[in-house]
Amino acid sequence: MRIELERRASASGLFAIVSPLLALALTLGFGALMFWLLGKDPGHALYSFFIEPLLEVWSLHELAIKAGPLILIAVGLAVCYRSNNWNIGAEGQFTIGAITGSILPILVPQWHSPMVLPLMLVMGAIGGALFAAIPALLKTRFNTNEILVSLMLVYIAQLFLDWLVRGPWRDPKGFNFPQSISFAPEAVLPEMLESGRAHFGVVFALVAALCVWFMMRFMLKGFEVSVLGRSERAGRFAGFSARRMVWFSMMLSGGLAGLAGISEVSGSIGHLQPSISPGYGFTAIIVAFLGRLNPLGIIASGFVLALTYLGGEAAQLSIGISDKVTRVFQGLLLFFVLSCDTLILYRVRVIFGAGSLPATRSSS
Amino acid sequence: MIEAILLTIITAATPLVIAAMGELVTERAGVLNLGVEGMMIMGAVCAFAGAYLTGVPSLGLLTGILGGALFSLLFAFLTLTLVANQVATGLALTLLGLGVSGQLGEGFVGIPGVKLQPIIVPLLSDIPVLGPLLFRQDLTFYLSIALVVGVSWFLFRSRAGLKLRAIGDSHGSAHALGIGVIRTRYLAVMFGGACAGLAGAQLSLVYTPQWVENMAAGRGWIALALVVFASWRPWRVLIGGYIFGAVGILQLHAQAFGIGVPSQFLSMLPYAVTIVVLIIISHNRRTTLINTPACLGKPFVPDR
């Protein structure tokens, strides 16, 4: 058996829409198989993983809380990946954003002013952007690989946060727990509705997605992103600078990741602690690809991936499966997304037996 | 004291060297597999399981290698057969590896593992200082040295190695010459997976004989950086691996020694050093371009 690919004359519009859905279906299929192997009833397990969390108001709020940072980070990453810059250190930029945004509520807790929250958000975004500027600087100046640098910075950021909350920023009245003081009310991102915990983080995400969508669709900058991403040479002829694009895309994605970080800390957690993210920065990579690097698609895929987090928690309680299942689902999903994307550009033919190669080598 | 430190440096460097040697071969064939961390952690959990369930640590080593190689097949299928983006697929491999290994290793947490016993080479191990360092080591250490020698012989002295490098430098011409590009790349990816698996096995059978979730702790990524550091030359991988191993270990000793720097900052050292090394190696764009396999990361679809 052999698999052959044949390039389509033009990208298939049908499969551009079908492929993420196909990937979802395949993931569910394999998920069912996995549950069955773990000795659980697949139907019941999938139901409690993916459907049950959608049935109650409070868990819909949780869904929005988790989708917010995923969408926010993924939208920035999509711009990066489209321009062929591989920032995979969003987790670190998220962490640094959370730290720089927390400077005010932790160091000047006595300052009560409506200015506090907006300043925190801005500082968080700036912190994330500056942290992402490090791989950008090193890439443009020294030609280093941004993948490795941004990833190494994740470990550094996490250790830095760990030091802060165990050292200088530890709450002296915190019973020796490694966490900072709790944020004052004016430093807390407010809840949107009476009915639950969802805060304005998810609104930031939707607004950011719409803005970036507008930019990519209607503005010269968006065109620049896709031209440089497809071919740096073509971009040079158009007068676009690949070097400036490195800065732009890295700092945009870092800024959004930083904003996500401070929103998460001030909206959901309320203080700094050694671990502030269940891997949002990495899961957002999946969100970006599942959304086909399109901001509107990312809104949808952000909610799908948020559901895997909730489902993991629910499955732990209701069917006694460890929450590691979440990671497996997320990894599988990315795999299937990437393989189904082949269908957009290629026709796939499965040839049984040892099909003769030379005969098909016609003039083309 | 010095001898003990040197011993731990060797133990820390071995998995880096092994994983980087595998990735070096993969990249020489023109494939960029960023999933080293994922394959490594799969190797670690498979090795632990194999050793624990059979009680024979060397069988664990074998299951680790197999686990890494089989896992890398997923990557090979996606990037080589379905021409998916190599960067994204490599990331997917790492994410999936972390998830699956966590799931598989769930029952092993906190269980004392089986340690691979050192092999004592008769006579040679009696040499003062050098003897215990070089000839009372675990199998994995000898394998790491054999890998460096073997890979460098294979790449630069054998016909198959020449073909492999040709594929990495120009898959189009190699294909035109009738060299099986896809098949060779499959083998190269699987070799990389087997090495990453072995490196993972070293972690869970030698370095800390137990299973801890996420125990690769970024070593797979450091191995990737090591390949860049070595500018795709086997012997430089060995040197680089020992430098990185030394930084990791000395950092630990500095912590135990209680110098005034907070432990977190010392723990950052290996990662910071990686960045600094990348800067030093990459800043001369021309030499990097000469050394990098020209087709690295580029998809190949044979025209029919």
Side-chain angles (χ1 to χ4, degrees):
Chain A
M1 193 187 97
R2 212 174 62 236
I3 295 174
E4 272 186 9
L5 301 183
E6 188 188 340
R7 191 177 268 280
R8 292 178 198 274
S10 62
S12 158
L14 172 69
F15 274 108
I17 296 165
V18 170
S19 100
L21 302 177
L22 192 63
L24 273 178
L26 281 168
T27 308
L28 288 182
F30 265 77
L33 186 70
M34 180 175 68
F35 284 130
W36 180 70
L37 287 175
L38 289 170
K40 311 282 171 185
D41 172 20
H44 175 236
L46 284 182
Y47 178 81
S48 52
F49 206 99
F50 289 106
I51 308 293
E52 233 166 42
L54 295 175
L55 299 181
E56 288 190 58
V57 176
W58 70 266
S59 57
L60 286 176
H61 276 272
E62 295 301 310
L63 192 70
I65 288 176
K66 294 201 160 58
L70 289 176
I71 296 171
L72 209 44
I73 302 169
V75 163
L77 291 183
V79 174
C80 258
Y81 298 166
R82 281 234 155 155
S83 69
N84 213 8
N85 289 301
W86 294 90
N87 176 12
I88 59 169
E91 183 84 2
Q93 293 138 23
F94 179 96
T95 306
I96 294 296
I99 292 172
T100 51
S102 304
I103 291 175
L104 282 184
I106 291 177
L107 293 185
V108 257
Q110 64 279 13
W111 189 37
H112 303 281
S113 152
M115 284 298 292
V116 171
L117 193 61
L119 270 177
M120 283 166 64
L121 296 173
V122 170
M123 286 165 72
I126 291 177
L130 287 181
F131 204 56
I134 300 174
L137 172 75
L138 298 184
K139 183 177 182 179
T140 51
R141 182 83 181 69
F142 299 109
N143 193 28
T144 54
N145 179 318
E146 78 276 19
I147 299 176
L148 292 171
V149 172
S150 62
L151 195 99
M152 292 298 136
L153 288 173
V154 173
Y155 294 99
I156 292 180
Q158 284 171 341
L159 285 163
F160 185 67
L161 173 65
D162 195 77
W163 170 71
L164 274 181
V165 295
R166 289 175 204 277
W169 282 10
R170 186 208 291 262
D171 180 3
K173 296 196 241 18
F175 303 104
N176 243 1
F177 278 115
Q179 61 182 48
S180 74
I181 56 167
S182 295
F183 292 0
E186 67 279 349
V188 169
L189 205 54
E191 286 160 2
M192 281 189 305
L193 305 167
E194 300 271 300
S195 56
R197 291 199 323 132
H199 54 75
F200 276 90
V202 69
V203 179
F204 299 157
L206 297 179
V207 171
L210 288 175
C211 290
V212 171
W213 173 77
F214 185 82
M215 179 194 83
M216 293 299 288
R217 186 80 197 264
F218 296 110
M219 284 167 65
L220 182 63
K221 198 76 194 170
F223 181 64
E224 197 179 325
V225 168
S226 27
V227 171
L228 280 172
R230 289 221 182 99
S231 156
E232 200 184 311
R233 218 170 109 80
R236 265 210 309 277
F237 283 123
F240 300 148
S241 157
R243 185 181 282 260
R244 274 210 307 273
M245 182 51 67
V246 175
W247 283 96
F248 173 77
S249 62
M250 294 295 278
M251 289 186 65
L252 175 71
S253 60
L256 291 178
L259 179 62
I262 184 59
S263 307
E264 175 73 9
V265 166
S266 101
S268 313
I269 306 175
H271 57 252
L272 279 181
Q273 57 191 35
S275 164
I276 51 171
S277 155
Y280 284 139
F282 296 111
T283 307
I285 297 172
I286 307 177
V287 172
F289 278 101
L290 181 63
R292 310 213 40 69
L293 303 183
N294 173 334
L296 299 185
I298 286 171
I299 295 179
S301 64
F303 279 97
V304 172
L305 265 301
L307 185 56
T308 61
Y309 277 121
L310 275 192
E313 288 166 14
Q316 213 175 349
L317 295 174
S318 61
I319 43 179
I321 283 179
S322 98
D323 59 345
K324 313 268 175 341
V325 174
T326 303
R327 281 252 158 251
V328 180
F329 262 115
Q330 294 176 347
L332 275 181
L333 186 57
L334 182 51
F335 256 102
F336 286 122
V337 169
L338 292 169
S339 33
C340 290
D341 274 4
T342 303
L343 295 171
I344 299 172
L345 287 179
Y346 299 95
R347 235 182 282 279
V348 176
R349 268 190 314 207
V350 181
I351 296 166
F352 293 96
S356 62
L357 240 163
T360 52
R361 192 183 284 235
S362 56
S363 60
S364 59
Chain B
M1 173 70 181
I2 300 270
E3 199 178 290
I5 292 180
L6 285 176
L7 263 177
T8 46
I9 288 177
I10 291 178
T11 319
T14 300
L16 298 178
V17 172
I18 295 176
M21 285 314 291
E23 180 67 13
L24 185 137
V25 172
T26 311
E27 292 193 11
R28 277 279 184 174
V31 185
L32 179 67
N33 184 355
L34 294 183
V36 180
E37 179 89 0
M39 302 187 298
M40 209 170 182
I41 198 74
M42 284 300 284
V45 76
C46 291
F48 187 94
Y52 177 75
L53 297 175
T54 61
V56 187
S58 50
L59 277 180
L61 220 53
L62 213 60
T63 47
I65 295 173
L66 270 177
L70 287 178
F71 197 55
S72 73
L73 259 183
L74 271 178
F75 174 86
F77 179 71
L78 250 72
T79 56
L80 302 178
T81 302
L82 297 181
V83 278
N85 179 308
Q86 292 180 8
V87 174
T89 311
L91 294 176
L93 200 69
T94 291
L95 292 176
L96 188 67
L98 292 174
V100 172
S101 66
Q103 181 74 34
L104 286 176
E106 182 105 280
F108 298 139
V109 178
I111 295 178
V114 196
K115 189 179 183 328
L116 194 66
Q117 291 307 319
I119 296 172
I120 297 161
V121 183
L123 297 178
L124 288 177
S125 58
D126 296 333
I127 304 171
V129 188
L130 277 185
L133 278 182
L134 298 180
F135 301 107
R136 260 179 224 180
Q137 286 286 354
D138 306 276
L139 182 56
T140 48
F141 166 75
Y142 303 121
L143 285 175
S144 74
I145 302 298
L147 264 176
V148 175
V149 176
V151 165
S152 100
W153 175 84
F154 169 81
L155 282 178
F156 300 106
R157 292 274 179 280
S158 81
R159 209 181 155 76
L162 179 69
K163 284 183 181 168
L164 184 132
R165 284 188 292 135
I167 289 168
D169 280 326
S170 170
H171 48 217
S173 335
H175 178 65
L177 286 172
I179 305 175
V181 174
I182 302 285
R183 197 187 49 205
T184 311
R185 286 195 169 161
Y186 257 94
L187 292 174
V189 169
M190 284 180 74
F191 180 77
C195 287
L198 176 61
Q202 197 266 6
L203 292 179
S204 65
L205 297 178
V206 178
Y207 196 61
T208 44
Q210 55 179 325
W211 166 253
V212 184
E213 208 194 333
N214 222 341
M215 67 186 296
R219 286 189 184 84
W221 296 102
I222 291 181
L224 274 161
L226 209 51
V227 179
V228 181
F229 168 82
S231 49
W232 294 268
R233 306 282 166 86
W235 287 97
R236 296 190 194 168
V237 166
L238 189 69
I239 299 166
Y242 277 81
I243 296 176
F244 279 97
V247 172
I249 290 301
L250 294 179
Q251 162 278 111
L252 282 180
H253 283 286
Q255 282 185 26
F257 215 65
I259 62 171
V261 183
S263 66
Q264 288 92 344
F265 286 93
L266 291 169
S267 303
M268 286 176 196
L269 265 180
Y271 309 112
V273 167
T274 307
I275 295 178
V276 172
V277 163
L278 281 173
I279 294 173
I280 296 171
I281 296 301
S282 323
H283 80 283
N284 192 338
R285 190 181 278 258
R286 190 124 42 82
T287 49
T288 336
L289 276 180
I290 290 171
N291 288 318
T292 317
C295 284
L296 185 61
K298 292 192 184 134
F300 174 70
V301 186
D303 49 316
R304 302 201 160 86

